[in-house]
Coordinates of all heavy atoms in Angstrom, one line a residue:
I104 N 114.4 70.6 64.2 CA 114.3 70.3 65.6 C 112.8 69.8 65.9 O 112.6 68.8 66.6 CB 114.7 71.5 66.5 CG1 116.2 71.7 66.4 CG2 114.2 71.3 67.9 CD1 116.6 73.0 67.0
I105 N 111.9 70.5 65.3 CA 110.5 70.2 65.6 C 110.1 68.9 65.0 O 109.4 68.1 65.6 CB 109.5 71.3 65.0 CG1 109.7 72.6 65.9 CG2 108.1 70.9 65.0 CD1 109.0 73.8 65.3
R106 N 110.7 68.6 63.8 CA 110.4 67.3 63.1 C 110.9 66.1 63.9 O 110.3 65.1 64.0 CB 111.0 67.3 61.7 CG 110.6 66.2 60.8 CD 111.2 66.3 59.4 NE 112.5 66.9 59.3 CZ 113.6 66.2 59.4 NH1 113.6 65.0 59.7 NH2 114.8 66.8 59.2
K107 N 112.0 66.3 64.6 CA 112.6 65.2 65.4 C 112.2 65.2 66.8 O 112.6 64.4 67.6 CB 114.2 65.4 65.4 CG 114.8 65.2 64.0 CD 116.3 65.4 64.1 CE 116.9 65.2 62.7 NZ 118.3 65.5 62.7
H108 N 111.3 66.2 67.2 CA 110.9 66.4 68.6 C 110.0 65.2 69.1 O 109.1 64.8 68.4 CB 110.1 67.7 68.7 CG 109.7 68.0 70.1 ND1 110.5 68.3 71.1 CD2 108.4 68.0 70.6 CE1 109.8 68.5 72.2 NE2 108.6 68.3 72.0
N109 N 110.3 64.7 70.2 CA 109.5 63.7 70.9 C 108.9 64.4 72.1 O 109.6 64.6 73.1 CB 110.3 62.5 71.3 CG 109.5 61.5 72.1 OD1 108.3 61.6 72.3 ND2 110.2 60.4 72.4
P110 N 107.5 64.6 72.1 CA 106.9 65.2 73.3 C 107.1 64.5 74.6 O 107.2 65.0 75.7 CB 105.4 65.3 72.9 CG 105.4 65.0 71.5 CD 106.6 64.3 71.1
G111 N 107.3 63.1 74.5 CA 107.5 62.3 75.7 C 108.8 62.7 76.4 O 108.9 62.7 77.6
F112 N 109.8 63.0 75.6 CA 111.1 63.4 76.2 C 110.9 64.7 77.0 O 111.4 64.8 78.1 CB 112.1 63.6 75.1 CG 113.4 64.2 75.5 CD1 114.3 63.5 76.2 CD2 113.7 65.6 75.2 CE1 115.5 64.1 76.7 CE2 114.8 66.2 75.7 CZ 115.8 65.4 76.4
E113 N 110.3 65.7 76.4 CA 110.1 66.9 77.1 C 109.2 66.8 78.3 O 109.4 67.4 79.4 CB 109.5 68.0 76.1 CG 109.6 69.4 76.7 CD 109.2 70.4 75.7 OE1 109.3 70.1 74.5 OE2 108.9 71.5 76.1
F114 N 108.2 66.0 78.2 CA 107.2 65.7 79.3 C 108.0 65.1 80.5 O 107.9 65.5 81.6 CB 106.1 64.8 78.9 CG 105.2 64.4 80.0 CD1 104.2 65.3 80.4 CD2 105.3 63.2 80.6 CE1 103.4 64.9 81.5 CE2 104.5 62.8 81.6 CZ 103.5 63.7 82.1
D115 N 108.8 64.0 80.2 CA 109.6 63.4 81.2 C 110.6 64.3 81.9 O 110.7 64.3 83.1 CB 110.4 62.2 80.6 CG 109.5 61.0 80.3 OD1 108.3 61.0 80.7 OD2 110.0 60.0 79.7
L116 N 111.2 65.1 81.0 CA 112.2 66.1 81.6 C 111.5 67.1 82.5 O 112.0 67.3 83.6 CB 112.9 66.8 80.4 CG 114.1 67.6 80.7 CD1 115.2 66.8 81.3 CD2 114.6 68.3 79.5
E117 N 110.4 67.6 82.1 CA 109.7 68.6 82.9 C 109.2 68.0 84.2 O 109.2 68.6 85.3 CB 108.6 69.3 82.1 CG 107.9 70.4 82.8 CD 106.8 71.1 82.0 OE1 106.4 70.5 80.9 OE2 106.4 72.2 82.4
R118 N 108.6 66.8 84.1 CA 108.0 66.2 85.3 C 109.0 65.6 86.3 O 108.8 65.8 87.5 CB 107.0 65.1 84.8 CG 106.3 64.5 85.9 CD 105.1 63.7 85.5 NE 104.4 63.2 86.6 CZ 103.6 62.2 86.6 NH1 103.4 61.5 85.5 NH2 103.0 61.7 87.7
F119 N 110.0 64.9 85.8 CA 110.9 64.1 86.6 C 112.2 64.8 86.9 O 112.9 64.5 87.9 CB 111.1 62.7 86.1 CG 109.9 61.9 85.9 CD1 109.3 61.7 84.7 CD2 109.1 61.5 87.0 CE1 108.2 60.9 84.5 CE2 108.0 60.8 86.9 CZ 107.5 60.5 85.6
Y120 N 112.6 65.8 86.1 CA 113.8 66.5 86.2 C 113.6 68.0 86.0 O 114.1 68.6 85.1 CB 114.9 66.0 85.2 CG 115.1 64.5 85.4 CD1 114.4 63.6 84.6 CD2 116.1 64.0 86.3 CE1 114.6 62.2 84.7 CE2 116.3 62.7 86.4 CZ 115.6 61.8 85.6 OH 115.8 60.4 85.8
P121 N 112.7 68.6 86.9 CA 112.3 70.0 86.6 C 113.5 71.0 86.6 O 113.4 72.0 85.9 CB 111.3 70.3 87.8 CG 111.6 69.3 88.8 CD 112.1 68.1 88.1
A122 N 114.5 70.8 87.5 CA 115.6 71.8 87.5 C 116.4 71.7 86.2 O 116.8 72.8 85.6 CB 116.5 71.5 88.7
I123 N 116.6 70.5 85.7 CA 117.3 70.4 84.4 C 116.4 71.0 83.3 O 117.0 71.6 82.4 CB 117.6 68.9 84.1 CG1 118.5 68.3 85.2 CG2 118.2 68.7 82.7 CD1 118.7 66.8 85.1
Y124 N 115.1 70.7 83.3 CA 114.2 71.3 82.3 C 114.3 72.8 82.3 O 114.4 73.4 81.2 CB 112.8 70.8 82.6 CG 111.8 71.4 81.7 CD1 111.6 71.0 80.4 CD2 111.0 72.5 82.1 CE1 110.6 71.6 79.6 CE2 110.0 73.1 81.3 CZ 109.9 72.6 80.0 OH 109.0 73.2 79.2
R125 N 114.2 73.4 83.5 CA 114.2 74.9 83.6 C 115.6 75.5 83.0 O 115.6 76.4 82.3 CB 114.0 75.4 85.0 CG 112.5 75.3 85.4 CD 112.3 76.0 86.8 NE 113.1 75.4 87.8 CZ 112.8 74.4 88.6 NH1 111.6 73.8 88.4 NH2 113.6 74.0 89.6
K126 N 116.7 74.8 83.4 CA 118.0 75.2 82.9 C 118.1 75.1 81.4 O 118.6 76.0 80.7 CB 119.1 74.3 83.6 CG 120.5 74.7 83.2 CD 121.5 73.8 84.0 CE 122.9 74.2 83.6 NZ 123.8 73.3 84.3
S127 N 117.5 74.0 80.8 CA 117.5 73.8 79.4 C 116.7 74.9 78.7 O 117.1 75.5 77.7 CB 117.0 72.4 79.1 OG 116.9 72.2 77.7
V128 N 115.5 75.2 79.2 CA 114.6 76.2 78.6 C 115.3 77.6 78.7 O 115.3 78.3 77.7 CB 113.3 76.2 79.3 CG1 112.5 77.4 78.9 CG2 112.5 74.9 79.0
E129 N 115.9 77.9 79.8 CA 116.6 79.2 79.9 C 117.8 79.3 78.9 O 117.9 80.4 78.3 CB 117.1 79.4 81.4 CG 117.7 80.7 81.6 CD 116.7 81.9 81.6 OE1 115.5 81.6 81.7 OE2 117.1 83.0 81.3
L130 N 118.6 78.3 78.8 CA 119.7 78.3 77.8 C 119.1 78.5 76.4 O 119.7 79.3 75.6 CB 120.5 77.0 77.9 CG 121.4 76.9 79.1 CD1 121.9 75.4 79.2 CD2 122.5 77.9 79.1
H131 N 118.1 77.8 76.1 CA 117.5 77.9 74.7 C 116.9 79.3 74.5 O 117.2 79.9 73.5 CB 116.4 76.9 74.6 CG 115.6 77.0 73.3 ND1 116.2 76.6 72.1 CD2 114.4 77.5 73.0 CE1 115.4 76.8 71.1 NE2 114.3 77.3 71.6
R132 N 116.2 79.9 75.5 CA 115.7 81.2 75.3 C 116.8 82.2 75.2 O 116.7 83.1 74.3 CB 114.8 81.6 76.6 CG 113.4 81.0 76.5 CD 112.6 81.4 77.7 NE 111.3 80.8 77.7 CZ 110.5 80.7 78.7 NH1 110.9 81.2 79.8 NH2 109.4 80.1 78.6
N133 N 117.8 82.1 76.0 CA 118.9 83.1 75.9 C 119.6 83.0 74.5 O 120.0 84.0 73.9 CB 119.9 82.9 77.0 CG 119.4 83.3 78.3 OD1 118.5 84.2 78.4 ND2 119.9 82.8 79.4
A134 N 119.8 81.8 74.0 CA 120.4 81.6 72.7 C 119.6 82.2 71.6 O 120.1 82.9 70.7 CB 120.7 80.1 72.5
M135 N 118.3 82.0 71.7 CA 117.4 82.5 70.6 C 117.3 84.0 70.7 O 117.3 84.7 69.7 CB 116.0 81.9 70.8 CG 115.8 80.5 70.4 SD 116.2 80.2 68.7 CE 117.9 79.7 68.7

Side-chain angles (χ1 to χ4, degrees):
I104 290 170
I105 291 170
R106 190 173 37 82
K107 294 177 181 176
H108 180 71
N109 175 1
F112 170 76
E113 192 170 342
F114 175 79
D115 286 353
L116 190 61
E117 185 176 14
R118 182 164 184 204
F119 301 109
Y120 303 93
I123 298 169
Y124 174 78
R125 286 190 302 273
K126 184 177 177 181
S127 176
V128 167
E129 184 67 24
L130 286 171
H131 177 74
R132 282 184 182 160
N133 287 339
M135 290 295 96

